[in-house]
Amino acid sequence: KVWSEPFPTVESYADSIDLGDIDHVAQNLDLLTETNIGDAPVEWVSSNPDIIRPDGNGLGIVTRPASNQPDAKVTLGAFVMSGDIRVYREYEVTVLRERNDQESVEIDKEALTLDTTGLLLADRIELPVAGNTGTEITWSSDRPDLIDTSKIYSETDENTGKEHYYVDVTRPEWNDRKIEDCKLTATISRGTERDTKAFQYRIPEMNYSLEAL
């Protein structure tokens, strides 16, 4: 075979490692045991195993500093091997300290968004039930005849294994108002701290889109 590009090297294998966002780490890290290019074996070391501990099976086990401690800086080292050649790469990782209950509620409230632009024509909407900092999110509706938040259900993404939570939308039958308003209220809580955030939907009657044509 004639190669039109330089033959891959162990250096290029090492350069293919991508840890994603390592400036704001709050969960375990994926530490590949083989490179994406070349399938070269990778061994990981940590400058502070108490904060990030490579388990040898593809995970970096993260233990976040306490809420009264600063964020932690950790250097992860990757040894990439191909035959008798071994190269080394370093990655500077910032592990975020734990947030107290009030901080967690504030952060997750700010991050919580739903698309309420325009008219709600979808048969269902996705509602998160947990925040990124460990809060619980519960939902209520002022029009359960349109969106009944007591009937939230989960589905598993076959590709990622992640659970997603949905609630069905019941569009109203024909009436003179044509469009109904429905307010969903999220309660974000952790420990004794809690706060709320409201989202307003406009839901058209069943034949509204046909009339618009």
Side-chain angles (χ1 to χ4, degrees), residues 23-48:
D23 293 326
H24 307 87
V25 172
Q27 299 177 337
N28 291 340
L29 288 170
D30 290 325
L31 301 181
L32 298 178
T33 57
E34 293 182 340
T35 57
N36 292 321
I37 298 175
D39 297 328
V42 183
E43 292 183 0
W44 293 90
V45 294
S46 171
S47 66
N48 189 345

Side-chain angles (χ1 to χ4, degrees), residues 51-67:
I51 300 296
I52 303 178
R53 177 178 59 83
D55 72 350
N57 294 308
L59 274 184
I61 307 301
V62 171
T63 302
R64 296 170 63 184
S67 60

Side-chain angles (χ1 to χ4, degrees), residues 123-125 127 147-149 151-153 166-169:
D123 294 329
R124 66 178 187 176
I125 54 176
L127 296 178
I147 302 177
D148 188 350
T149 53
K151 296 180 179 179
I152 295 174
Y153 57 94
Y166 301 92
V167 65
D168 290 332
V169 177

Side-chain angles (χ1 to χ4, degrees), residues 60-173:
I61 307 301
V62 171
T63 302
R64 296 170 63 184
S67 60
N68 61 349
Q69 299 293 319
D71 297 339
K73 304 287 187 180
V74 179
T75 300
L76 287 179
F79 291 96
V80 181
M81 293 154 284
S82 181
D84 296 330
I85 303 175
R86 185 169 76 163
V87 300
Y88 179 73
R89 293 288 187 273
E90 279 190 354
Y91 307 88
E92 298 300 323
V93 182
T94 300
V95 177
L96 303 179
R97 64 178 175 82
E98 292 283 358
R99 269 38 180 179
N100 60 40
D101 293 347
Q102 180 180 352
E103 289 175 316
S104 293
V105 169
E106 291 173 353
I107 291 169
D108 287 348
K109 177 182 177 180
E110 179 68 24
L112 180 60
T113 59
L114 297 177
D115 183 5
T116 59
T117 57
L119 299 178
L120 178 57
L121 298 173
D123 294 329
R124 66 178 187 176
I125 54 176
E126 184 172 0
L127 296 178
V129 298
N132 291 331
T133 67
T135 59
E136 179 185 10
I137 302 175
T138 57
W139 294 90
S140 62
S141 169
D142 70 345
R143 289 292 304 275
D145 56 318
L146 302 178
I147 302 177
D148 188 350
T149 53
S150 70
K151 296 180 179 179
I152 295 174
Y153 57 94
S154 65
E155 290 184 1
T156 303
D157 187 312
E158 295 181 355
N159 295 320
T160 65
K162 182 180 179 181
E163 291 284 334
H164 294 266
Y165 293 83
Y166 301 92
V167 65
D168 290 332
V169 177
T170 302
R171 291 173 62 185
E173 299 293 339

